[in-house]
Amino acid sequence: MSIPFKLYRLQQIDSQLDWTRARLKEIANELASDEELRQAQAHADEAQKNLQTAQKALRQAEANVSGQRVKIEQTEAALYGGRVQNPKELQDLQNEVAALKRYLTVLEDRQLEAMLSEEESTSNDKLARMDLDKVMAEHELHCKDLLVEKTRLEKDVVRHEQDRQAAASTVSAADLQFYEQLRQKRRGVAVALVTDRACSACGSTLSAALWQAAHSPNQITRCEACGRILYTG
């Protein structure tokens, strides 16, 4: 096998390893992130809190209406019970009954508003809990899929590392060191395939002499533009 081919094969394995490790990092971040779930939980908690507030307000409104009706009954009992004979006192009781009934109308309007608010809060709470259940189910399923992918990729890493060890063993120490240094400088890509007489990494067209040199099996030829090792295939 030619030197460029050995290095190109090593580059293919390293690129697969780089991608696999990057994806494993993404999976770890996704598994650690539950932003959507936390937002749904916060929304559900807020909806429940609003419902409890609305229910409390409705109970208070109902109690106010009930208490007002008791006052009316008591005042009417005094008015019509026959104990009060003084005309002025009777007139005062009649006025008080009328005022109590007017305020009862106000309290009943407030009770109706509280009922409507409670119904709306109940509906919102139900929708929020349904959304939370949906997000939780989707999150659980997504995590399950990610864990399956993670297990598969971890096995791929082991296999790629074994392949890399085998491929690296066929390369001289000096060439391997040069390859590693070039990979660090060129964002992980040290070897570029020549396509249509051009470097596939940077797109530069090869001169006739460089094109000829790149076909040599026993030497390393580098792109004049980007400095990567050229492999003609």
Side-chain angles (χ1 to χ4, degrees), residues 178 182-183 185-187 189-193 198-206 210 221-230:
F178 175 68
L182 196 54
R183 243 173 66 84
K185 294 179 181 179
R186 295 303 177 189
R187 294 181 295 181
V189 180
V191 184
L193 182 66
C199 173
S200 61
C202 69
S204 297
T205 301
L206 275 60
L210 193 60
T221 305
R222 301 174 63 186
C223 174
E224 294 176 340
C226 67
R228 291 181 173 87
I229 299 168
L230 297 172

Side-chain angles (χ1 to χ4, degrees), residues 41 48 80 86 141 160 174:
Q41 182 66 64
Q48 185 179 48
Y80 301 117
N86 186 291
L141 181 60
H160 291 327

Side-chain angles (χ1 to χ4, degrees), residues 2 5 9 49 52 65 68 74 89 102 111 123 145 148 177 180 197 205 232:
S2 69
F5 172 77
R9 173 58 182 153
K49 180 180 178 181
Q52 291 172 347
V65 168
Q68 190 70 5
Q74 291 173 343
E89 291 182 4
R102 287 195 299 272
Q111 181 183 17
S123 177
D145 291 340
V148 171
Q177 182 180 9
E180 295 287 5
R197 299 193 67 162
T205 301
T232 57

Side-chain angles (χ1 to χ4, degrees), residues 6-211:
K6 293 177 182 178
L7 294 175
Y8 180 68
R9 173 58 182 153
L10 188 59
Q11 176 67 74
Q12 286 181 309
I13 296 171
D14 280 336
S15 294
Q16 290 176 324
L17 271 171
D18 290 344
W19 181 89
T20 305
R21 286 168 177 159
R23 178 55 186 156
L24 282 170
K25 187 176 181 179
E26 289 177 358
I27 290 174
N29 291 336
E30 287 187 53
L31 289 172
S33 175
D34 57 351
E35 180 63 25
E36 185 177 4
L37 180 59
R38 287 191 292 109
Q39 288 182 355
Q41 182 66 64
H43 181 60
D45 291 344
E46 182 68 18
Q48 185 179 48
K49 180 180 178 181
N50 291 339
L51 175 59
Q52 291 172 347
T53 300
Q55 289 173 333
K56 182 179 179 180
L58 177 58
R59 288 194 298 269
Q60 184 61 54
E62 291 172 340
N64 291 341
V65 168
S66 178
Q68 190 70 5
R69 286 173 178 166
V70 170
K71 290 180 182 179
I72 292 173
E73 290 175 0
Q74 291 173 343
T75 305
E76 286 182 334
L79 176 62
Y80 301 117
R83 294 181 182 181
V84 179
Q85 299 295 326
N86 186 291
K88 185 178 183 304
E89 291 182 4
L90 289 173
Q91 184 62 49
D92 289 342
L93 286 173
Q94 287 179 339
N95 293 337
E96 185 178 352
V97 169
L100 289 172
K101 287 183 176 180
R102 287 195 299 272
Y103 189 52
L104 175 61
T105 301
V106 173
L107 293 177
E108 287 175 338
D109 289 341
R110 293 177 181 174
Q111 181 183 17
L112 179 59
E113 291 176 359
M115 288 176 61
L116 295 174
S117 178
E118 193 271 344
E119 288 177 0
E120 182 180 2
S121 297
T122 298
S123 177
N124 290 339
D125 178 66
K126 181 179 179 180
L127 291 174
R129 285 188 287 107
M130 288 175 61
D131 181 63
L132 176 59
D133 290 342
K134 178 184 176 182
V135 172
M136 288 180 65
E138 290 175 348
H139 180 72
E140 183 178 352
L141 181 60
H142 183 55
C143 287
K144 183 179 179 180
D145 291 340
L146 288 176
L147 289 173
V148 171
E149 184 182 2
K150 178 175 178 288
T151 299
R152 177 177 59 79
L153 292 177
E154 287 172 341
K155 292 179 180 179
D156 288 344
V157 168
V158 173
R159 178 169 54 82
H160 291 327
E161 287 177 340
Q162 292 173 344
D163 292 342
R164 189 189 194 282
Q165 184 177 2
S169 66
T170 66
V171 180
S172 69
D175 288 343
L176 185 60
Q177 182 180 9
F178 175 68
Y179 164 83
E180 295 287 5
Q181 292 173 347
L182 196 54
R183 243 173 66 84
Q184 291 181 359
K185 294 179 181 179
R186 295 303 177 189
R187 294 181 295 181
V189 180
V191 184
L193 182 66
V194 176
T195 305
D196 295 331
R197 299 193 67 162
C199 173
S200 61
C202 69
S204 297
T205 301
L206 275 60
S207 65
L210 193 60
W211 165 255

